[in-house]
Amino acid sequence: MDKIIVRGGKALSGNVKVSGAKNAVLPIIAASILAEEGTCVISDVPALDDVRTICDLLKSMGISLTYDHEVLTVNAAKLTSVEASYELVRKMRASFLVMGPLLARQGRARVALPGGCAIGTRPIDQHLKGFEAMGAKIEIGQGYIEASVEGRLKGAKIYLDIASVGATENIMMAAALAEGTTVIENAAEEPEIVDLANFLNRMGAKIRGAGTGSIRIEGVDKMTGCTHCVIPDRIEAGTFMVAAAITGGDVFVEGAICDHLKSVTAKLREMGVEVDEQENGIRVRRTGALKAVDLKTLPYPGFPTDMQSQMMALLLVSEGTSIVTETVFENRFMHVEEFRRMNANIKIEGRSAIVEGGSKLTGSKVAATDLRAGAALVLAGLVSDGETEVSALHHIDRGYVNFTEKLLALGADVERVTPESKTREVSVSESMKVSFSPNFA
Ligand SMILES: CC(=O)N[C@H]1[C@@H](OP(=O)(O)OP(=O)(O)OC[C@H]2O[C@@H](n3ccc(=O)[nH]c3=O)[C@H](O)[C@@H]2O)O[C@H](CO)[C@@H](O)[C@@H]1O
Ligand SMILES: C=C(OP(=O)(O)O)C(=O)O
């Protein structure tokens, strides 16, 4: 099993380019199932394990795909199966996003129950409530959810009890090909929802209001292939912003969209970090001490839960006590135990973590507990005494393209080690080449 070895003490500097957003591209690839004709050509598709998983899933349904230099083509004219197997859904919960498109196009879908994961139980009741409101019959058995509808789905007014990102996306995709108009109230407002709506509209859908709490979808009879470029990953961008801040560095995060990162920028500024918002990216510098701040995760435009663990790493080296409250997922503090191995002083009280700043972090053996926790441990390693060894990298590979290489290019003392070959020497230019070649043949 690969490990990342980090030796602390280097201030990061230079330019890092943000890849396409994982959380935008996954629903977009699922949405391409809706195109009965033509090819979807999607660019800035990051070479991530999660992308490979959803591509494998579409391939298992008879859909043809190609991937070359971050351009993915999907031709879903031929669709031979409406099933998403346990093996693929288990690897990645976002696989459940194929349910809406399959149901809308084929009138039937059979998808393995996604179950919980390290960060919480993550139910899908809001997705199912939406499909039922559109006339689908839902049956659950033998670990699978079967949804079916006589004829077409019918437009409906759906109020989400929770502004769920996945439910908003799944229902929006289903409604795009339904008969009549669907209105989703208390919809999630994340930028990835806007990107998905833009993609669907290019395919022929009629969606208005994405990015607000009320989305109106007029169903159409047919959708076709289109071209689309995925938005930059705001969480990857935020992770590098924290990397700059934690090391007292000076980094330009190229491609980051300032508007998508307002809550992160505001917190960094509150802590005494200089954040310069530019047209094509964000420059982050830190020279002085870091101030403790409190933060609470919330749905967009609130502070993202996917940045909680990285910010916690930063708060560990600030002056004073901070309170981090996690309101989105009920169990997203697994990284606290790992931080403690690095001499962190953190107490958990219910949904809050009391983070004592100013501890001298020490390098240690730690394991990623989810993908953002993995990144956060590497960030903590950048300022720890001695060597930090991060394992369980399959989490990091789900959501960060060339994470080690990007840090290396900014001057970090970091390497990825494969036990069989001891050290895998990676030249940055080589590693930046396309390293993803899924078996699309
Ligand atoms: C692939 C992807 O885009 N993943 C993101 C997406 O996950 P995901 O779409 O799974 O997150 P949701 O917004 O659906 O979940 C938010 C909260 O709602 C709850 N819930 C959700 C659906 C439902 O039917 N019932 C229910 O109770 C969840 O358990 C969770 O507590 O948004 C999360 C919240 O910003 C991010 O952390 C994930 O990175
Ligand atoms: C929780 C995350 O992803 P997922 O919803 O795919 O598990 C994440 O990206 O931090």
Side-chain angles (χ1 to χ4, degrees):
M1 295 278 249
D2 283 11
K3 293 193 162 93
I4 291 177
I5 312 280
V6 197
R7 283 167 287 266
K10 292 267 170 41
L12 302 194
S13 68
N15 196 83
V16 61
K17 195 165 180 304
V18 182
S19 298
K22 165 178 98 64
N23 289 350
V25 79
L26 297 176
I28 283 173
I29 295 173
S32 62
I33 293 175
L34 290 162
E36 279 169 60
E37 244 174 46
T39 301
C40 294
V41 181
I42 310 161
S43 51
D44 280 4
V45 174
L48 296 170
D49 282 0
D50 274 10
V51 169
R52 190 189 303 256
T53 302
I54 197 142
C55 288
D56 284 347
L57 180 53
L58 264 61
K59 209 179 146 204
S60 74
M61 296 169 181
I63 294 171
S64 55
L65 303 102
T66 66
Y67 183 78
D68 186 28
H69 288 84
E70 301 199 326
V71 177
L72 181 73
T73 69
V74 186
N75 188 310
K78 199 176 97 193
L79 187 61
T80 54
S81 157
V82 291
E83 180 161 322
S85 71
Y86 170 69
E87 284 66 36
L88 291 168
V89 179
R90 178 179 62 104
K91 271 195 189 170
M92 183 190 73
R93 289 180 46 88
S95 302
F96 194 70
L97 293 172
V98 298
M99 182 155 253
L102 286 174
L103 188 55
R105 181 171 157 185
Q106 301 293 87
R108 209 171 77 78
R110 185 170 188 267
V111 181
L113 272 164
C117 73
I119 61 179
T121 47
R122 304 183 78 175
I124 38 147
D125 56 304
Q126 299 302 304
H127 302 233
L128 301 182
K129 176 174 110 171
F131 298 146
E132 276 179 327
M134 286 191 270
K137 202 170 104 212
I138 308 284
E139 280 175 277
I140 303 179
Q142 292 163 341
Y144 277 78
I145 300 181
E146 266 196 70
S148 57
V149 61
E150 297 265 336
R152 287 172 70 187
L153 291 170
K154 306 267 183 305
K157 197 162 178 133
I158 299 158
Y159 181 89
L160 296 179
D161 299 337
I162 292 179
S164 155
V165 173
T168 303
E169 293 169 343
N170 230 342
I171 295 167
M172 197 163 79
M173 292 188 279
L177 265 189
E179 213 177 298
T181 301
T182 299
V183 180
I184 310 175
E185 298 288 4
N186 195 28
E189 301 178 14
E190 271 70 0
E192 292 76 19
I193 300 215
V194 178
D195 206 30
L196 173 63
N198 288 338
F199 177 72
L200 289 165
N201 284 340
R202 287 201 178 107
M203 293 172 82
K206 290 188 177 160
I207 302 174
R208 279 184 299 146
T212 74
S214 177
I215 304 180
R216 193 179 177 85
I217 306 129
E218 252 180 75
V220 296
D221 293 339
K222 193 170 182 178
M223 292 169 76
T224 53
C226 69
T227 59
H228 184 79
C229 182
V230 177
I231 54 168
D233 196 311
R234 64 192 166 100
I235 306 299
E236 187 200 15
T239 303
F240 282 105
M241 289 166 76
V242 173
I246 202 168
T247 61
D250 183 351
V251 172
F252 182 66
V253 187
E254 188 187 332
I257 297 179
C258 306
D259 238 30
H260 295 175
L261 281 149
K262 280 184 180 159
S263 61
V264 175
T265 297
K267 275 295 151 196
L268 289 175
R269 285 186 177 145
E270 233 178 289
M271 293 182 76
V273 179
E274 272 179 69
V275 183
D276 182 16
E277 300 180 323
Q278 298 179 14
E279 212 173 287
N280 62 336
I282 303 181
R283 183 175 174 191
V284 180
R285 270 176 296 182
R286 204 256 298 171
T287 44
L290 287 163
K291 288 195 274 290
V293 295
D294 294 341
L295 73 88
K296 189 189 258 188
T297 65
L298 287 167
Y300 190 85
F303 192 90
T305 171
D306 294 351
M307 280 299 300
Q308 182 250 106
S309 52
Q310 302 92 312
M311 279 302 277
M312 194 181 283
L314 187 61
L315 295 172
L316 283 170
V317 297
S318 69
E319 284 175 357
T321 305
S322 308
I323 301 177
V324 175
T325 306
E326 173 60 58
T327 77
V328 179
F329 290 109
E330 75 273 17
N331 190 27
R332 210 172 191 178
F333 280 142
M334 303 274 282
H335 43 278
V336 165
E337 204 50 54
E338 301 303 306
F339 279 144
R340 284 186 185 135
R341 293 182 204 281
M342 304 175 78
N343 198 39
N345 184 353
I346 307 169
K347 243 192 343 229
I348 296 181
E349 283 179 10
R351 291 205 134 188
S352 296
I354 322 293
V355 182
E356 295 298 341
S359 338
K360 188 69 216 141
L361 297 177
T362 53
S364 163
K365 288 189 181 185
V366 288
T369 50
D370 74 56
L371 76 159
R372 308 303 169 191
L377 290 165
V378 173
L379 296 179
L382 292 172
V383 285
S384 293
D385 262 351
E387 204 170 272
T388 299
E389 193 179 297
V390 184
S391 59
L393 301 188
H394 60 281
H395 287 296
I396 296 182
D397 294 339
R398 281 190 50 214
Y400 289 92
V401 180
N402 287 334
F403 189 50
T404 319
E405 291 79 4
K406 286 185 179 184
L407 287 169
L408 198 61
L410 293 173
D413 188 348
V414 58
E415 62 185 335
R416 185 165 173 146
V417 173
T418 307
E420 302 82 59
S421 60
K422 269 282 195 263
T423 304
R424 196 181 78 188
E425 294 288 349
V426 215
S427 85
V428 174
S429 57
E430 193 186 322
S431 67
M432 292 297 183
K433 284 185 203 154
V434 173
S435 57
F436 177 53
S437 47
N439 256 335
F440 288 148

